[in-house]
Amino acid sequence: MADLFEEYRLGPGWDEMFSELGVPRPSYEALYATLQSLSSADLAVRSEVLARAFLDQGITFALKGVERPFPLDIVPRLITALEWAKVQAGVSQRIRTLEMFLADVYGPAHVLNDGVVPRRVVVTSAHFHREAAGVNPPNGVRIHVAGVDLIRDEAGEFRVLEDNVRIPSGVSYVIENRRAIGHVLPEVLAATRIQPVESYPAQLLHALRAAAPAGVTDPTVVVLTPGVHNSAYFEHTLLAREMGVELVEGRDLFCSGNEVWMRTTAGETRVDVIYRRIDDEFLDPVHFRADSVIGVAGLLNAARAGHVTISNAVGNGVADDKLLYTYVPALIRYYLNEEPILPNVPAYRLDDGPEVLEYAFERMDSLVFKPVDGSGGSGIVIGSRTGQEELEALRARITADPRGWIAQHEVALSMVPTLIGNRLRGRHVDLRPFAVNDGERVWVLPGGLTRVALPEGELVVNSSQGGGSKDTWVLAPAHDEPSGPDDRVAGRTLPQPRQPDPGPGAAAGAVQQQQQQQQAGLSC
Amino acid sequence: MLSRIAESLYWIGRYIERAEGTARILDVHVHGMLADPWIDQEIACRSLLTVMGVAAADQHVSTVRVVGLLGLDQSSPSSVVGALAAARENARGARETISSEMWECLNATWLGLPAARLRIEQQGMHAFFGWVRERCSLMAGLTEATMSHDDGWLFLMLGRSLERADMTARLLSTHADAGGSIQSWLTLLRSCGAWETFLRTYRGALDDRHAAEFLLLDRLFPRSVFAALSAAESCLADLEHAGTPGQASRAGVATEAQRIIGRARTDLEFRGLDDLLASLSTVLSNVESACSQVNAAVSGRYFRATTAIAWAPRAFV
């Protein structure tokens, strides 16, 4: 029954499943074969189960205060081992570079003195916090967790769309998506060898412990959440639970003597590492917004004194400013003396002078305009889909504040079949791999969050814009066998099975007689 | 109370726990097979069958076959479906003693089994195992809330605790046999529903010592071997005291069952962890055989022999 793919069209952009209509790429063959054997009714039932399970488990994303399930599409997205090797190397290279950049701008500032990045780009960034200068993280790590947004262009090549080194979210969906797909599509999962993603919390905990202040041998790690009304609250609980650490709110913590403490039933406990999911501006009312009620007063001073590690570090936003993004390839060459492994999407800095601005304004309908400090896809203007009037308004706004915007070429994002109604249709996707830096190496979670734009032709995939997600499968390399001390030795002898204790069985004779008795009773 | 009723209650406790434990184990096993690309299915399945006491035939063993044998085999009271049916059968014989809500729960579960098969086909195994867990928890809740905590309740709890100790010991011995890797600890802890509480207890540090310590010796986690044995022991003690109020025996304990279980518990409690880990297989098989012996001793003491006496007509010469 191939009716699932009925009237499937190859859209604009790279189709990840099909090289041409009806001909799947080699990596997708197994998945395609399994999907073909399912009827659309089967798939609809399972999709229903999937949605139900997400709702029951409370895997939600709050949008404008309303808790909504984060829709998981039932068709997974595949990435081959070879493609992944490149992504992994590229992401790791970027994070290493941005680490060095942050250490530099909040320290000696060689990169500014050498003119690689103009000083004005850094100091005019909304997320450049002078308060962070001189806060030296114990193991040199500022970006403990990063999410780098990638897309595949028309030729199928991965490109970096933006970096997230403040508080990237979405990793909980990676973990939960895999769990859920395993439960509803076991036959597909069994037919493919996929790299597991469940070790993420352990890796994160390892990195956080490694970042503990000097001299603390058994650090107390906490996850700091803004509270239950935050859109990513589900993720905070999942990470805290899977790491086995406390999930705290600002009011659970206080600072005393430049140390951070949490209030517990057994008195005060010193906190050594805080994985915070609160924005810089709200983190510490002493230094930032004085009206913040979710932060902890004195936190930054404690970090400066070296008594607590804040993860990710304060002030990281200067490194994922979208204007700085255009300088990252140059930074990679400057710090690592390497060529960038993953290219950027071609972009224009609108504050580079009137000629650039003029050039961009001439072709507004083929460009995408982004506010430099926005996140979650808000404020993005896609020229080709915007009316003339709005473009005029945008032009005025950009002319007034060219530093606030960048322009990128419009890229037709790659497409993956997605269940829409009861048919599969191509929809645009992106990919956010997550990287964890423990100070010795940058580990990239094999998988990542694939977000899919559900309306036809839509290019903005952000969850805050009503997108869905897909389980992302990184195929295991064919020759890769588990290394290290492996216990699954073939041919070892198994002990004799010991039968479970048997219960009392009614003897056959008794059953018969009880029945006879009853029949006899009836007859008289 | 009647010995026959006591026996039924004891076995309701055991079968419900067996169904729940087996469902948990299978759920984690099936998922583990899928999630780990490097696992050797054949060996993992065979080792699971062995530890659950089902003789693995020489033919090829797949996950589907394991689920068939341990989950859906109606003829075997150690499978999930078989255990639920057996529990219901025992409840039928003790219907007037247990609360009608408990009976209804067991009966409805039994009636739901055919639909559960359909559920597996449509929604996958996870949905079925989830359903089994829910039904068992419902039963546990009703037992707690609608039955007075008298002798009958003690027998039910005794059965449950004993089965629990046995189940966790079996699970641990898969691990001991496998030589022990971090991955298999993870699976093991998940099977016992202990993963999250373990993480909290040891602050995320998963290593051999901690995992073994937790599943073997933890005083507070109800599925650890030690906690289950202690619970069974206190049920036995209460049963004796309830019979003769205020007359706890002056020397030692009154029954053989108490002696056996006390020895098994103290063996765990008063030996160092290193010592226990060094001879883990022996320790575990001792626990398992203690459970069997307690079973026999309890049957001997409380349930008496209820085999029918067959009178044979015989001509006198």
Side-chain angles (χ1 to χ4, degrees):
Chain A
M1 276 173 282
D3 63 347
L4 273 173
F5 285 98
E6 197 178 284
E7 290 176 21
Y8 184 86
R9 285 193 306 275
L10 297 183
W14 177 263
D15 193 290
E16 299 202 1
M17 184 182 256
F18 296 105
S19 51
E20 53 189 284
L21 210 52
V23 184
R25 298 180 195 280
S27 55
Y28 271 93
E29 271 164 7
L31 177 62
Y32 180 68
T34 331
L35 284 176
Q36 283 227 308
S37 66
L38 292 172
S39 72
S40 68
D42 283 345
L43 207 59
V45 169
R46 296 191 191 198
S47 187
E48 184 64 31
V49 174
L50 196 61
R52 182 81 224 159
F54 260 45
L55 211 55
D56 283 352
Q57 291 174 43
I59 303 170
T60 54
F61 189 90
L63 186 56
K64 300 188 180 86
V66 183
E67 253 184 87
R68 305 176 340 135
F70 187 35
L72 167 61
D73 183 66
I74 197 161
V75 184
R77 182 233 199 135
L78 269 59
I79 297 172
T80 63
L82 203 63
E83 288 166 337
W84 184 253
K86 187 176 171 187
V87 168
Q88 195 175 358
V91 167
S92 159
Q93 181 190 49
R94 260 182 118 83
I95 301 311
R96 280 182 287 133
T97 304
L98 294 178
E99 274 295 355
M100 293 173 84
F101 171 73
L102 283 170
D104 200 0
V105 292
Y106 288 117
H110 295 308
V111 68
L112 308 182
N113 298 334
D114 290 347
V116 180
V117 176
R119 192 173 295 270
R120 73 186 151 81
V121 169
V122 169
V123 297
T124 56
S125 169
H127 300 293
F128 175 66
H129 293 305
R130 287 172 178 78
E131 296 86 342
V135 178
N136 293 315
N139 65 342
V141 178
R142 284 182 171 79
I143 308 171
H144 304 85
V145 182
V148 177
D149 285 356
L150 305 177
I151 57 166
R152 296 186 83 165
D153 63 14
E154 292 85 345
E157 183 169 20
F158 281 105
R159 286 177 180 274
V160 179
L161 198 61
E162 59 184 62
D163 307 289
N164 296 281
V165 295
R166 276 172 283 165
I167 43 175
S169 68
V171 74
S172 55
Y173 304 110
V174 178
I175 299 170
E176 287 297 339
N177 287 358
R178 178 64 52 79
R179 223 171 265 171
I181 290 283
H183 288 152
V184 301
L185 275 184
E187 60 272 60
V188 187
L189 205 58
T192 327
R193 301 203 326 158
I194 308 155
Q195 300 204 33
V197 293
E198 62 188 1
S199 64
Y200 179 85
Q203 292 282 355
L204 177 57
L205 184 64
H206 171 71
L208 292 173
R209 290 174 70 98
V216 180
T217 47
D218 186 17
T220 301
V221 178
V222 297
V223 178
L224 176 61
T225 175
V228 293
H229 299 294
N230 185 263
S231 62
Y233 182 70
F234 159 70
E235 174 155 314
H236 309 160
T237 61
L238 180 121
L239 289 175
R241 196 175 64 225
E242 297 263 321
M243 293 197 289
V245 304
E246 297 292 342
L247 179 65
V248 300
E249 295 180 20
R251 55 189 169 172
D252 299 325
L253 299 180
F254 66 95
C255 293
S256 162
N258 267 352
E259 296 186 346
V260 182
W261 302 83
M262 68 179 161
R263 300 186 175 92
T264 73
T265 52
E268 286 94 34
T269 309
R270 197 185 116 136
V271 173
D272 305 301
V273 182
I274 300 178
Y275 179 52
R276 51 89 178 223
R277 300 295 298 254
I278 296 180
D279 288 336
D280 286 354
E281 287 74 16
F282 290 92
L283 197 57
D284 185 349
V286 173
H287 286 282
F288 302 111
R289 284 178 60 155
D291 63 342
S292 168
V293 291
I294 54 175
V296 185
L299 189 54
L300 200 58
N301 286 350
R304 192 188 307 282
H307 293 152
V308 69
T309 306
I310 302 174
S311 155
N312 288 349
V314 171
N316 276 8
V318 67
D320 64 12
D321 183 290
K322 290 197 180 62
L323 187 55
L324 188 89
Y325 158 87
T326 59
Y327 292 94
V328 173
L331 289 176
I332 292 174
R333 294 188 193 101
Y334 175 74
Y335 285 115
L336 303 178
N337 200 17
E338 291 172 13
E339 277 305 302
I341 297 170
L342 294 170
N344 273 6
V345 174
Y348 302 100
R349 303 165 191 148
L350 299 175
D351 68 338
D352 257 7
E355 61 281 2
V356 178
L357 209 54
E358 195 54 39
Y359 181 84
F361 283 158
E362 274 169 23
R363 42 186 65 66
M364 278 185 101
D365 56 352
S366 66
L367 294 177
V368 178
F369 295 87
K370 291 181 172 178
V372 291
D373 53 357
S375 67
S378 61
I380 292 180
V381 179
I382 299 171
S384 61
R385 286 149 203 258
T386 310
Q388 203 55 44
E389 270 177 41
E390 285 172 63
L391 282 184
E392 285 306 319
L394 178 67
R395 185 193 291 247
R397 283 167 68 195
I398 293 176
T399 317
D401 176 24
R403 168 65 179 90
W405 295 81
I406 64 163
Q408 278 179 338
H409 278 253
E410 183 179 327
V411 180
L413 272 56
S414 60
M415 308 181 88
V416 181
T418 302
L419 189 68
I420 303 287
N422 55 3
R423 294 284 184 278
L424 294 177
R425 294 284 175 265
R427 288 293 182 265
H428 293 295
V429 295
D430 78 344
L431 174 66
R432 175 180 285 184
F434 291 89
V436 174
N437 186 358
D438 64 5
E440 311 211 323
R441 69 185 186 120
V442 178
W443 176 80
V444 184
L445 175 70
L449 180 64
T450 291
R451 291 176 299 180
V452 53
L454 296 174
E456 186 168 7
E458 176 63 55
L459 286 173
V460 179
V461 294
N462 296 69
S463 42
S464 41
Q465 303 292 312
S469 74
K470 277 176 173 293
D471 191 15
T472 311
W473 294 359
V474 174
L475 303 182
H479 52 83
D480 193 10
E481 288 300 319
S483 52
D486 185 46
D487 51 85
R488 301 178 194 123
V489 193
R492 69 193 157 73
T493 52
L494 291 168
Q496 278 306 304
R498 193 179 63 84
Q499 302 276 335
D501 300 327
V511 175
Q512 251 176 27
Q513 284 185 9
Q514 285 181 12
Q515 287 167 354
Q516 281 164 10
Q517 172 64 36
Q518 195 176 17
Q519 276 151 13
L522 279 175
S523 63
C524 54
Chain B
M1 73 186 312
L2 281 175
S3 289
R4 176 173 57 80
I5 300 294
E7 185 169 24
S8 289
L9 288 169
Y10 170 80
W11 280 100
I12 292 172
R14 287 203 73 155
Y15 280 132
I16 292 290
E17 183 64 25
R18 195 175 286 177
E20 185 184 347
T22 312
R24 281 178 186 280
I25 291 166
L26 282 176
D27 196 14
V28 173
H29 172 82
V30 169
H31 195 71
M33 291 287 112
L34 300 174
D36 184 350
W38 297 290
I39 206 160
D40 184 331
Q41 278 221 17
E42 178 84 28
I43 292 178
C45 290
R46 218 166 255 285
S47 122
L48 181 63
L49 282 181
T50 309
V51 87
M52 298 304 290
V54 175
D58 287 330
Q59 74 221 61
H60 178 66
V61 197
S62 66
T63 302
V64 176
R65 179 143 174 76
V66 168
V67 172
L69 281 173
L70 294 178
L72 304 173
D73 183 1
Q74 278 170 317
S75 62
S76 147
S78 1
S79 77
V80 174
V81 167
L84 287 173
R88 185 255 183 189
E89 203 51 39
N90 275 289
R92 200 149 72 114
R95 233 177 118 165
E96 79 290 353
T97 319
I98 59 175
S99 73
S100 56
E101 283 172 73
M102 287 165 69
W103 158 250
E104 206 177 303
C105 168
L106 283 174
N107 198 40
T109 307
W110 181 72
L111 288 172
L113 286 176
R117 254 163 220 286
L118 200 65
R119 194 189 303 247
I120 290 193
E121 277 164 28
Q122 284 182 345
Q123 311 180 359
M125 289 178 213
H126 180 65
F128 170 67
F129 294 132
W131 176 77
V132 170
R133 279 205 306 268
E134 259 173 39
R135 297 307 296 188
C136 293
S137 305
L138 182 58
M139 184 63 193
L142 287 172
T143 309
E144 185 63 31
T146 66
M147 198 175 172
S148 50
H149 292 191
D150 56 7
D151 276 10
W153 183 82
L154 284 172
F155 277 113
L156 213 151
M157 287 297 126
L158 175 64
R160 185 166 99 183
S161 310
L162 215 51
E163 185 73 29
R164 210 171 250 185
D166 187 58
M167 193 68 89
T168 307
R170 277 169 191 278
L171 267 176
L172 272 165
S173 58
T174 37
H175 189 80
D177 295 340
S181 71
I182 293 299
Q183 185 62 31
S184 76
W185 279 124
L186 203 149
T187 310
L188 205 59
L189 286 162
R190 285 234 166 97
S191 305
C192 298
W195 174 237
E196 286 162 8
T197 159
F198 170 81
L199 280 176
R200 284 190 85 79
T201 311
Y202 291 97
R203 304 212 286 179
L206 177 58
D207 63 37
D208 285 348
R209 268 181 83 81
H210 289 160
E213 185 179 69
F214 190 76
L215 288 176
L216 208 53
L217 299 179
D218 197 86
R219 279 174 199 274
L220 302 180
F221 184 67
R223 277 199 171 75
S224 81
V225 176
F226 179 84
L229 284 177
S230 305
E233 193 182 4
S234 86
C235 284
L236 283 170
D238 287 354
L239 276 171
E240 284 307 311
H241 290 277
T244 50
Q247 292 191 16
S249 69
R250 280 183 68 161
V253 289
T255 63
E256 185 61 20
Q258 281 172 289
R259 263 168 235 134
I260 299 165
I261 208 160
R263 276 203 303 274
R265 186 208 16 108
T266 44
D267 191 40
L268 293 178
E269 190 170 15
F270 299 114
R271 272 169 71 181
L273 184 61
D274 290 319
D275 193 11
L276 287 173
L277 286 181
S279 54
L280 192 57
S281 308
T282 329
V283 169
L284 291 170
S285 70
N286 286 346
V287 170
E288 287 176 42
S289 73
C291 287
S292 281
Q293 288 171 29
V294 172
N295 184 55
V298 166
S299 305
R301 172 159 177 88
Y302 299 105
F303 309 150
R304 322 245 174 221
T306 47
T307 39
I309 299 160
W311 297 91
R314 186 170 164 187
F316 288 98
V317 183

